[in-house]
Amino acid sequence: MTVALSIENLRKHFGGFEALRGVSLNVEPGELVALLGPSGSGKTTLLRLVAGLEVEDAGRILFGDVEANNLTLRDRRIGFVFQHYALFRHLTVEDNIAYGLRARPRRERPSVAEIRSRVGTLLDLVQLGGLEKRFPAQLSGGQRQRVALARALAIEPRVLLLDEPFGALDAQVRKDLRRWLRDLHARTGHTTLFVTHDQDEALELADRVAILNQGAIEQVGTSDDVYERPETSFVCGFLGETNRLPVEFAGGQVFLGELPIYGMAHFNTPGPGSLYVRPHDLQVTEGGTGALSGIVLSVRRIADRRRASIAVPGMPAAIETDISSGFAPAVGERIGLRIMRALTFNEAR
């Protein structure tokens, strides 16, 4: 049965380190929410608390109306998929998938026929029909992860937890599997909490993304919300690629030193702050009012884009900008940059 997952003011310490600082998050029935953040931000700790693999210091976890804090690991009925599969090497594919069902107490255990039927259905669901007699060592990494997911689904979990499920796979397999997982989730509708360090993965897969930083949630929203409308400077700087410029706000203008470089700061308090601009939001110009000027340090290919690093006076680091395929500035050449779109934040430098 699909249920909501409610996390209320969770706190967790490891010795003197506060891993979670009052985290609250609601996951709607059938929703897939990604936990995204830098290493050490608390993503996996939060997942392990929900699973019952760690014990919280304070706060509540609810599956629907059922408070889970005092439930045993088995009674929580969580489906957990790990990065490194955690399959039993001595068991076949079908026996791995059936393991959680066969391990139930006798009074709760489905019949042999029911287990066989459920395993067959799951093998078809994860597109591994015909491989049921193979052992994990005879499977590719992507196939092993599908077996791990089928095993988690076999117990009909209240909530599905995925901890970096594609982290051990190469880039192309990851792309294929995340499209497959999105389709699978649409068909099965499990309430799912998904930890990843891969921003593209989170933004593509999740109904909503929760961004953690130093044990607290900075923002929760759709992929468009967190990418296009970040609520904090951390979220803005963390998601995607950005150039951060230390600036001054005055009279609705943004100044880099004495140069006005952007005119959309009407809601910023006068004084120091930061302007964040993505590489694709910079336009190469021949100079003029409001344009930055700098020297080309390098030009390189990044997937389907060409990227230039520009040294701009007054900037502590080079500015990264995307350039069109028809423009080939030479290293050492001076070019102008106009900011077409940016985000501004009042903050101490």
Side-chain angles (χ1 to χ4, degrees), residues 46-93:
L46 180 56
L47 210 68
R48 290 175 63 85
L49 288 173
V50 173
L53 298 173
E54 300 283 354
V55 178
E56 62 283 339
D57 296 322
R60 294 201 308 165
I61 300 166
L62 295 100
F63 302 142
D65 296 327
V66 178
E67 186 168 335
N69 296 58
N70 296 320
L71 294 179
T72 65
L73 187 63
R74 184 174 66 83
D75 289 340
R76 291 192 185 206
R77 220 171 75 224
I78 290 290
F80 207 127
V81 179
F82 299 89
Q83 176 177 344
H84 294 287
Y85 326 126
L87 298 178
F88 298 109
R89 291 178 293 178
H90 65 289
L91 298 182
T92 63
V93 166

Side-chain angles (χ1 to χ4, degrees), residues 115-126:
I115 291 175
R116 186 181 301 115
S117 175
R118 191 176 301 179
V119 169
T121 299
L122 286 167
L123 282 166
D124 290 340
L125 185 67
V126 300

Side-chain angles (χ1 to χ4, degrees), residues 291-309:
L292 300 167
S293 178
I295 301 296
V296 177
L297 298 177
S298 67
V299 179
R300 60 199 185 280
R301 168 70 61 180
I302 300 180
D304 59 347
R305 305 179 304 282
R306 295 170 72 239
R307 175 71 53 80
S309 295

Side-chain angles (χ1 to χ4, degrees), residues 8 37 44 107 127 136 158 195 261 276 322 345:
E8 299 178 357
T44 295
R107 67 182 181 278
Q127 300 171 359
R158 287 191 178 100
V195 164
I261 59 171
Y276 291 84
D322 291 339
F345 293 91

Side-chain angles (χ1 to χ4, degrees), residues 206-223:
D207 297 311
R208 289 187 300 146
V209 179
I211 299 174
L212 281 80
N213 179 34
Q214 297 181 344
I217 290 181
E218 293 262 345
Q219 184 175 350
V220 182
T222 66
S223 296

Side-chain angles (χ1 to χ4, degrees), residues 29-339:
E31 188 179 28
L32 192 158
V33 171
L35 300 177
L36 186 63
S39 297
S41 60
K43 308 183 298 295
T44 295
T45 298
L46 180 56
L47 210 68
R48 290 175 63 85
L49 288 173
V50 173
L53 298 173
E54 300 283 354
V55 178
E56 62 283 339
D57 296 322
R60 294 201 308 165
I61 300 166
L62 295 100
F63 302 142
D65 296 327
V66 178
E67 186 168 335
N69 296 58
N70 296 320
L71 294 179
T72 65
L73 187 63
R74 184 174 66 83
D75 289 340
R76 291 192 185 206
R77 220 171 75 224
I78 290 290
F80 207 127
V81 179
F82 299 89
Q83 176 177 344
H84 294 287
Y85 326 126
L87 298 178
F88 298 109
R89 291 178 293 178
H90 65 289
L91 298 182
T92 63
V93 166
E94 64 180 351
D95 288 338
N96 264 285
I97 295 173
Y99 182 83
L101 298 173
R102 292 172 178 160
R104 286 180 176 176
R106 185 176 296 276
R107 67 182 181 278
E108 300 175 17
R109 189 183 310 156
S111 68
V112 172
E114 287 176 301
I115 291 175
R116 186 181 301 115
S117 175
R118 191 176 301 179
V119 169
T121 299
L122 286 167
L123 282 166
D124 290 340
L125 185 67
V126 300
Q127 300 171 359
L128 290 177
L131 303 183
E132 58 270 16
K133 298 300 182 183
R134 293 193 183 181
F135 290 89
Q138 297 172 305
L139 303 175
S140 69
Q143 288 171 332
R144 289 179 210 169
Q145 198 56 285
R146 293 186 190 204
V147 174
L149 188 54
R151 183 179 61 184
L153 294 174
I155 63 169
E156 298 180 323
R158 287 191 178 100
V159 174
L160 185 62
L161 304 179
L162 310 177
D163 189 8
E164 299 275 9
F166 308 141
L169 305 173
D170 64 52
Q172 187 55 53
V173 175
R174 287 177 72 115
K175 288 182 181 179
D176 292 341
L177 275 184
R178 69 191 189 208
R179 285 193 293 266
W180 170 81
L181 179 61
R182 182 71 253 185
D183 179 62
L184 181 69
H185 179 264
R187 283 184 282 154
T188 60
H190 284 85
T191 304
T192 303
L193 200 56
F194 174 64
V195 164
T196 180
H197 69 275
D198 187 315
Q199 297 185 10
D200 291 341
E201 205 160 81
L203 297 176
E204 179 182 338
L205 276 175
D207 297 311
R208 289 187 300 146
V209 179
I211 299 174
L212 281 80
N213 179 34
Q214 297 181 344
I217 290 181
E218 293 262 345
Q219 184 175 350
V220 182
T222 66
S223 296
D224 286 343
D225 286 337
V226 296
Y227 188 86
E228 300 289 347
R229 294 173 289 279
E231 295 174 357
T232 68
S233 58
F234 171 81
V235 174
C236 187
F238 176 71
L239 277 181
E241 297 176 274
T242 57
N243 298 289
R244 177 185 173 273
L245 284 69
V247 296
E248 295 282 338
F249 302 123
Q253 294 282 322
V254 181
F255 291 84
L256 182 63
E258 300 296 319
L259 177 68
I261 59 171
Y262 196 62
M264 303 280 286
H266 307 295
F267 302 106
N268 292 88
T269 304
S274 294
L275 180 142
Y276 291 84
V277 57
R278 301 193 187 278
H280 60 261
D281 288 326
L282 286 161
Q283 183 182 74
V284 177
T285 73
E286 295 182 356
T289 304
L292 300 167
S293 178
I295 301 296
V296 177
L297 298 177
S298 67
V299 179
R300 60 199 185 280
R301 168 70 61 180
I302 300 180
D304 59 347
R305 305 179 304 282
R306 295 170 72 239
R307 175 71 53 80
S309 295
I310 314 297
V312 174
M315 280 293 299
I319 289 180
E320 301 286 308
T321 181
D322 291 339
I323 56 178
S324 67
S325 57
F327 177 63
V331 172
E333 181 179 344
R334 179 173 292 277
I335 64 172
L337 296 172
R338 190 177 301 280
I339 298 169

